[in-house]
Amino acid sequence: MYRKRQLLCDGVDLTALAEEQGTPLYVYSADQILHRFSLFADAFTQPHTVCYSVKANSALAILRLLAEQGAGFDIVSGGELERVRRASKAALKRVVFSGVGKQVWEIDAALKAEILIFNVESEAELALLAERAEALGKQARFALRVNPDVFADTHPYISTGLREHKFGIDIGLARAIYRKAARSRWLDPAGVSVHIGSQIRAVEPFAAALERVLALIGELKRDGLDIRYVDVGGGLGIEYGAAAFDPAEQVKSYAAALTAASGLHLLLEPGRFIVAQAGGLLTRVLYVKKNGAKTFVITDAGMNDLIRPSLYQAHHEILPVRQGTATEQVVDVVGPVCESGDFFARDRKLPKVKPGELMVLLDAGAYGMSLSSNYNTRVRPAEVLVEGSAARLIRRRETMKDLFVAEILD
Ligand code: LLP
């Protein structure tokens, strides 16, 4: 929102914030995050737990904000488990542990933390889980993550629900594995899980995957197993472009597509949907230059700070922080990193900007900072959480010293 031609994040003036904290800077709205989270409670009437997917944005302050609202968490590593522990010990019992390559130390840490459930992705992992559960004297609740062989229209790098993907266990083989596992006193076959991919905007693929999962659960129940949980994964998409988008309606139709799961406790693992549109990346224009017919706007943020455009050809809207005159120009917005793939927008019509001016890359709250790196030996951005009209620094900018702490010279 602009006030007096200056862009605000809730009650905070972004020009003043950039002066104070420097750029590039990730800025998140706590109100937006909480609002998105609350949409799930409004739309889902059956017993459910929203297990926010930590990988989307794993800032401790954001995890704590969500934990205070009763959120659970979807984790994929021992590191993410440690994040949840630091943000909220009470939330550990609402953790689901996904991932195709869990290691012994990660399984042990999760067993000791008494998490809610393991989403197991192979027979070998299940055998290891049983072994570690016995060694630690802790029974492990688990769900097999089944691969439903359902197509969802999204970028190929983030589609997961087809047989040719590395994720999950062929749904046709799952029943036999459950029956075998049920004989172990260290394993509690408590659920079935599925995740078909990310940034999926149509709700039909979720319904199709659930239908297959419920058919399996019916069989497992007939086999005498006490299946209580159905985990439908994450993946609910948003609108990155300028098109109108009603998040409340989106969650409502998602909930409507999942009503068949009644009678079971539903686990949901949204990541992007909760945090993407609550965050922006604030950056300053360093140079504007012309090469041939092209005009390049060079920003102080680069692909190491926000890799989505480079990696997935993702579109992020870009706004100037100071609302200028109406003159527009077709430009490429690029970062300082030494790769031609380091771009935020190509041939985009944008209001004219000059060096020193600020811009915001919108919808960068998910898979922005969490996918950032130190490529080109660049320090990663600071992060700020806006709470009403107050801005709280939740991660300081890295320093040159931070970049070298792990290196050994002699
Ligand atoms: N659960 C599982 C098992 C997942 O693998 C994922 C995402 C989620 C939940 C959360 O999905 P979401 O609700 O955020 O779509 N870096 C990519 C997205 C990778 C998603 C990986 N898995 C991007 O920037 O688009």
Side-chain angles (χ1 to χ4, degrees):
M1 184 188 80
Y2 286 97
R3 194 170 55 206
K4 295 189 188 149
R5 295 186 167 272
Q6 289 288 334
L7 194 62
L8 304 181
C9 172
D10 298 338
V12 171
D13 179 296
L14 292 177
T15 304
L17 191 61
E19 290 298 329
E20 201 181 307
Q21 300 293 347
T23 51
L25 182 71
Y26 274 105
V27 184
Y28 311 116
S29 157
D31 283 353
Q32 261 304 317
I33 295 172
L34 293 176
H35 172 65
R36 286 297 173 97
F37 181 75
S38 74
L39 293 180
F40 288 86
D42 296 347
F44 284 87
T45 49
Q46 71 231 75
H48 69 277
T49 306
V50 176
C51 296
Y52 164 72
S53 193
V54 171
K55 65 175 86 67
N57 187 319
S58 43
L60 292 177
I62 291 178
L63 302 186
R64 180 164 292 170
L65 189 70
L66 289 167
E68 282 167 358
Q69 301 300 309
F73 295 96
D74 160 51
I75 62 161
V76 290
S77 70
E80 288 189 348
L81 179 67
E82 187 55 27
R83 283 191 174 274
V84 174
R85 187 197 311 282
R86 287 178 190 225
S88 162
K89 284 208 176 63
L92 285 170
K93 60 177 184 298
R94 298 190 295 270
V95 163
V96 301
F97 191 178
S98 312
V100 291
K102 301 183 193 77
Q103 300 184 31
V104 171
W105 71 270
E106 296 177 309
I107 291 175
D108 284 5
L111 282 168
K112 286 183 197 151
E114 300 187 339
I115 65 162
L116 178 61
I117 200 162
F118 288 81
N119 285 336
V120 170
E121 303 227 12
S122 66
E123 236 185 309
E125 182 194 328
L126 190 59
L128 180 61
L129 180 62
E131 193 186 304
R132 297 314 305 161
E134 180 168 8
L136 297 175
K138 300 218 180 246
Q139 204 195 31
R141 274 179 297 275
F142 81 91
L144 287 189
R145 173 169 171 187
V146 295
N147 189 322
D149 203 23
V150 164
F151 175 74
D153 187 19
T154 185
H155 191 279
Y157 287 6
I158 53 177
S159 169
T160 57
L162 286 178
R163 199 168 286 151
E164 69 217 46
H165 296 135
K166 69 176 175 183
F167 297 99
I169 291 174
D170 189 329
I171 193 161
L173 305 175
R175 188 177 180 188
I177 300 172
Y178 273 105
R179 288 172 80 148
K180 198 170 138 201
R183 294 202 289 269
S184 162
R185 57 175 289 227
W186 299 106
L187 295 175
D188 171 10
V192 179
S193 79
V194 72
H195 170 80
I196 54 173
S198 190
Q199 180 54 5
I200 298 167
R201 276 167 299 176
V203 297
E204 292 76 15
F206 295 110
L210 179 64
E211 196 182 312
R212 292 182 192 186
V213 166
L214 291 178
L216 171 65
I217 291 178
E219 289 175 357
L220 297 175
K221 286 194 164 172
R222 280 193 292 281
D223 289 343
L225 300 191
D226 181 21
I227 303 289
R228 290 95 73 198
Y229 297 99
V230 60
D231 182 336
V232 293
L236 186 62
I238 59 153
E239 186 59 64
Y240 280 95
F245 177 65
D246 183 341
E249 280 308 311
Q250 174 84 330
V251 182
K252 268 191 212 150
S253 48
Y254 183 57
L258 298 175
T259 46
S262 60
L264 293 156
H265 189 106
L266 190 62
L267 299 173
L268 304 155
E269 303 174 1
R272 183 191 320 268
F273 192 85
I274 291 181
V275 288
Q277 293 177 298
L281 177 58
L282 190 56
T283 180
R284 205 177 279 283
V285 176
L286 296 175
Y287 303 100
V288 179
K289 78 170 186 182
K290 270 193 154 60
N291 269 3
K294 271 194 169 284
T295 302
F296 291 94
V297 173
I298 302 167
T299 59
D300 64 0
M303 67 187 284
N304 70 298
D305 304 308
L306 176 66
I307 203 174
R308 302 195 71 261
S310 310
L311 194 55
Y312 315 110
Q313 295 78 47
H315 177 96
H316 285 262
E317 287 287 309
I318 302 176
L319 292 179
V321 168
R322 198 177 57 85
Q323 213 173 19
T325 52
T327 6
E328 289 187 322
Q329 191 176 24
V330 175
V331 297
D332 277 20
V333 180
V334 301
V337 169
C338 295
E339 299 222 16
S340 298
D342 180 23
F343 62 86
F344 293 128
R346 282 185 158 161
D347 298 322
R348 182 92 58 93
K349 202 180 221 182
L350 288 178
K352 253 188 168 163
V353 283
K354 289 202 269 308
E357 285 189 40
L358 293 164
M359 303 200 301
V360 188
L361 293 144
L362 296 184
D363 307 333
Y367 306 107
M369 187 64 175
S370 63
L371 267 172
S372 67
S373 77
N374 295 118
Y375 187 43
N376 276 204
T377 307
R378 284 164 51 81
V379 295
R380 283 182 292 170
E383 293 175 289
V384 159
L385 186 64
V386 169
E387 292 162 313
S389 54
R392 177 156 66 94
L393 186 67
I394 57 169
R395 182 183 163 114
R396 64 160 172 81
R397 188 174 304 283
E398 282 177 341
T399 61
M400 202 55 87
K401 201 168 159 204
D402 293 330
L403 292 180
F404 295 102
V405 284
E407 287 200 44
I408 301 165
L409 198 52
D410 36 37

